[in-house]
């Protein structure tokens, strides 16, 4: 199995402050479905940030897609990110763009043709039950609706790695189930590696999964 | 369309800058046209005891374009009726030669002084009349006006630059978020900044078109041309081709520099 993410003695810190994650060693294989749990403020979002190269390791080594993110070139990092789909904890939708353009963002960046992109955006917005809101702006949507838009955007370009930070944090059971279905589908049908930060691992999950917990700055696998 | 206000301030700032620039160009054109008018009428007169080749006089300074002997015949003809022929013959013998020197441009007072010194060094020349005292007051006024316009233009440029800087902060803030999000999805720098560049180019073009329209209107309605004609100046207020190119060029470069500064100053949010 290819290692999509491989961390060895990885420490993460903001500026020069004390480490939020220290000396973590773990790996995530291609095709894995992974949950990361931990108390609020334990460093879950911080860990995800390091996976997409927004936070460089303070110490140790972190390989994403076989590339050491510590000294990755800008071009390579951009290339890597074009194959990752991220759902941010605070969604990070582009305020001045409509919903359909927001979902199309990764497709635009990856150079998809307009007609292909339009079809894909329609399909995804239909999946997250937002087809009727395509030409609205993010601030005209509820928190949960924005979260679903963020999910649709993360999946738009069929990424090989999906990083989702509490993707159901704002959703009722029905909408949560929609999201899990999408993530399961991406994992089983598109062979995407899925990493999800959550407080509640769903009980009715259709795929096998790994579970990491963060506590006191260390990461360990729960079995 | 939510950011119309931000656009407006950049458009107004750019418009002000190119507008002031064009005003300076018009003033400069007026002064140059007036100078060449003056120069046509202006010449230095030198007096020599012996006859001198005009070429020798021209060779005295690079500023002298041509020299011409002033005929004394008319004066003598005029006197003929009142004087005896014997006296006239005597006068003819003792009368010096007069030369009018035409310069290649209208000289400043200090240039006249230098030229005078040079001419007086020549042993043939006994007298130099430079008409410096009659140096045109309107011309001096125009020169003063030109300096005032330059100062004014610098002031306008400084103030609008400050305004634009302030505007830039707001832009930076607005665009930073989108640029960061695009970066997280792997967009290269040029793609992240494309929107910004497109917006600033559009703003620059709008500002240029406004300025071009304003001056074309001024040109058609002949604003100020009456006054200019009264001092004998007939210039193009607005050259539709060259001036338009210059205006668009300046506005575009300024806004592109601006957008580049924003892109360089961009800090990636996590
Ligand atoms: N940009 C930052 N600069 C400095 N410190 C930060 C920054 N972001 C987070 N932290 C700190 O890092 C620690 C971990 O934050 P993180 O966001 O990773 O927690 P989390 O596990 O995702 O929490 P939650 O479940 O509430 O989202 C917190 O103590 C937080 O204060
Ligand atoms: Mg978090």
């Amino acid at each position: 199995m290819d290692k999509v993410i491989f961390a060895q003695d990885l420490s993460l810190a903001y500026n020069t402050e004390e480490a939020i994650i220290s000396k973590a060693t773990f790996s995530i294989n291609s095709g894995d479905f992974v949950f990361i749990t931990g108390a609020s403020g334990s460093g879950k979002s911080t860990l995800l940030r390091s996976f997409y190269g927004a936070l460089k390791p303070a110490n140790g080594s972190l390989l994403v897609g076989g590339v050491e993110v510590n000294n990755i070139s800008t071009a390579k990092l951009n290339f890597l990110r074009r194959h990752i789909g991220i759902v941010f904890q605070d969604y990070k939708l582009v305020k001045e763009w409509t919903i359909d353009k927001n979902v199309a963002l990764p497709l635009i960046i990856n150079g998809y043709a307009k007609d292909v992109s339009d079809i894909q955006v329609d399909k995804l917005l239909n999946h997250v039950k937002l087809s009727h809101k395509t030409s609205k702006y993010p601030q005209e949507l509820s928190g949960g609706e924005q979260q679903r838009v963020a999910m649709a955007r993360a999946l738009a370009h069929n990424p090989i790695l999906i990083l989702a930070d509490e993707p159901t944090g704002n959703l009722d059971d029905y909408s949560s189930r929609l999201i899990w279905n999408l993530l399961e589908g991406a994992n089983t049908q598109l062979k995407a590696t899925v990493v999800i930060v959550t407080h509640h691992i769903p009980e009715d999950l259709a795929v096998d999964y790994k579970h990491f917990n963060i506590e006191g700055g260390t990461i360990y696998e729960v079995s | 369309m939510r950011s119309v206000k931000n656009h407006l301030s950049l458009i107004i700032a750019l418009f002000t800058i190119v507008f002031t620039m064009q005003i300076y160009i018009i003033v400069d054109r007026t002064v140059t046209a007036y100078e060449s008018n003056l120069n046509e009428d202006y010449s230095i007169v030198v007096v020599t005891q012996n006859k001198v080749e005009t070429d020798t006089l021209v060779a005295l300074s690079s500023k002298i374009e041509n020299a011409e002997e002033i005929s004394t015949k008319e004066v003598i003809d005029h006197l003929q009726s009142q004087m005896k022929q014997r006296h006239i013959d005597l006068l003819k013998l003792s009368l010096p030669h007069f030369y009018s020197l035409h310069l290649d441009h209208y000289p400043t007072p200090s240039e006249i002084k230098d030229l005078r010194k040079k001419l007086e060094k020549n042993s043939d020349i006994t007298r130099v009349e430079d008409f410096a005292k009659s140096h045109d007051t309107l011309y001096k006024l125009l020169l003063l006006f030109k300096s005032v316009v330059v100062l004014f233009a610098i002031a306008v440029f400084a103030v609008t630059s400050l305004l634009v800087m302030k505007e830039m902060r707001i832009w930076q803030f607005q665009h930073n978020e989108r640029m960061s999000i695009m970066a997280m999805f792997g967009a290269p720098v040029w793609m992240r900044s494309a929107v910004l560049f497109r917006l600033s180019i559009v703003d620059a073009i709008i500002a240029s078109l406004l300025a071009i329209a304003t001056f074309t209107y001024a040109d058609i309605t002949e604003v100020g041309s009456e006054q200019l004609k009264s001092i004998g100046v007939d210039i193009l207020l607005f050259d539709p081709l060259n001036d338009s190119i210059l205006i668009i060029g300046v506005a575009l470069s300024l806004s592109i520099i601006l957008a580049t500064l924003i892109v360089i100053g961009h800090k990636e949010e996590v």
Side-chain angles (χ1 to χ4, degrees), chain A residues 41 43-46 49 89 165-166 197:
Chain A
K44 304 181 295 296
S45 300
T46 303
R49 263 172 218 146
Q89 190 169 8
D165 200 343
E166 301 192 24
V197 167

Side-chain angles (χ1 to χ4, degrees), chain A residues 49 52 54 78 81-82 84 86 88 92-97 105-106 108-109 139 153 157, chain B residues 2 174-175 177-178 180-189 191-192 195 198 268-270:
Chain A
R49 263 172 218 146
Y52 55 85
N78 283 337
R81 284 174 174 177
R82 286 200 284 275
I84 301 178
I86 314 169
F88 299 95
K92 293 198 191 301
L93 301 177
V94 179
K95 286 198 287 290
E96 57 269 32
W97 289 353
L105 176 67
I108 297 169
I109 292 172
Q139 59 273 30
R153 178 179 66 181
H157 51 308
Chain B
R2 293 179 305 119
Q174 281 182 343
H175 290 270
E177 194 183 355
R178 189 195 55 247
S180 291
I181 295 171
M182 292 180 82
M184 292 309 140
F185 283 92
V189 174
M191 197 187 269
R192 285 177 229 166
V195 180
R198 201 166 56 222
E268 212 161 273
E269 294 166 8
V270 181

Side-chain angles (χ1 to χ4, degrees), chain A residues 198-212:
Chain A
T198 188
H199 289 292
H200 308 284
I201 299 175
E203 278 150 23
D204 54 347
L205 209 68
V207 294
D208 291 336
Y209 63 86
K210 276 186 180 175
H211 175 196
F212 290 103

Side-chain angles (χ1 to χ4, degrees), chain B residues 21-260:
Chain B
M21 182 188 74
Q22 183 65 23
I23 293 286
Y24 170 77
I25 290 174
I26 291 172
V27 170
D28 186 56
R29 249 176 223 161
T30 308
V31 172
T32 313
Y34 195 73
E35 268 174 2
S36 79
N37 280 355
L38 287 177
N39 193 39
E40 266 169 36
D41 299 337
Y42 179 81
S43 54
I44 294 177
V45 172
V46 293
V47 185
T48 62
Q49 205 47 247
N50 310 312
K51 198 173 167 63
V52 187
E53 281 300 316
T54 54
D55 284 350
T56 343
L57 290 173
V58 171
L60 287 175
S61 164
S62 59
K63 291 196 178 78
I64 303 172
E65 197 171 61
N66 60 58
E68 207 178 330
E69 177 154 17
I70 302 171
S71 162
T72 49
K73 193 173 169 293
E74 251 175 64
V75 186
I76 290 164
D77 286 349
H78 185 67
L79 294 173
Q80 204 120 42
S81 52
Q82 295 151 30
M83 290 168 104
K84 291 195 178 99
Q85 187 59 41
R86 192 165 54 87
H87 286 147
I88 299 253
D89 288 341
L90 206 67
L91 188 66
K92 265 186 184 168
L93 276 176
S94 61
L95 205 63
H97 297 266
F98 296 90
Y99 297 91
S100 145
L101 307 182
H102 198 75
L103 307 187
D104 60 357
H105 69 279
Y106 191 65
T108 62
S110 71
E111 278 179 318
I112 293 182
K113 234 166 126 188
D114 287 349
L115 199 59
R116 184 191 186 92
K117 269 192 201 139
K118 239 183 208 168
L119 292 172
E120 279 172 345
K121 267 195 204 131
N122 190 289
S123 52
D124 286 328
I125 296 173
T126 55
R127 231 185 101 86
V128 177
E129 178 48 74
D130 55 24
F131 305 104
K133 290 227 172 54
S134 65
H135 214 83
D136 196 83
T137 40
L138 181 58
Y139 177 62
K140 282 179 188 156
L141 215 60
L142 272 179
L143 282 184
L144 181 71
F145 186 53
K146 190 171 158 181
S147 330
V148 170
V149 169
V150 168
L151 282 178
F152 177 69
I154 292 171
V156 165
F157 193 79
V159 171
T160 39
S161 298
L162 283 177
L163 279 179
V164 164
M165 288 299 197
K166 201 173 140 261
E167 208 46 50
M168 220 174 82
R169 287 267 156 73
I170 300 171
W171 274 48
Q172 190 148 26
F173 180 74
Q174 281 182 343
H175 290 270
N176 217 31
E177 194 183 355
R178 189 195 55 247
M179 280 159 53
S180 291
I181 295 171
M182 292 180 82
M184 292 309 140
F185 283 92
V189 174
W190 66 264
M191 197 187 269
R192 285 177 229 166
S193 357
V195 180
L196 192 57
F197 279 106
R198 201 166 56 222
L199 288 178
S200 41
I201 287 171
V202 167
D203 285 2
I205 289 173
I206 293 174
S208 313
L209 291 182
L210 280 178
I212 290 169
T214 307
F215 284 106
T216 308
Y217 180 74
D219 201 36
I220 291 170
T221 54
E222 306 199 320
V223 174
S225 71
E226 198 69 29
Q227 286 87 330
L228 287 176
K229 284 212 179 85
S230 73
I231 59 166
V233 169
D234 186 14
I235 54 149
L236 213 50
L237 269 190
F238 185 71
D239 178 347
L241 184 67
N242 291 325
D243 289 357
S244 297
I245 291 175
L246 188 68
I247 284 176
I248 293 175
V250 168
L252 269 183
S253 348
L254 275 177
S255 64
I256 287 174
I257 289 172
L258 213 69
T260 311

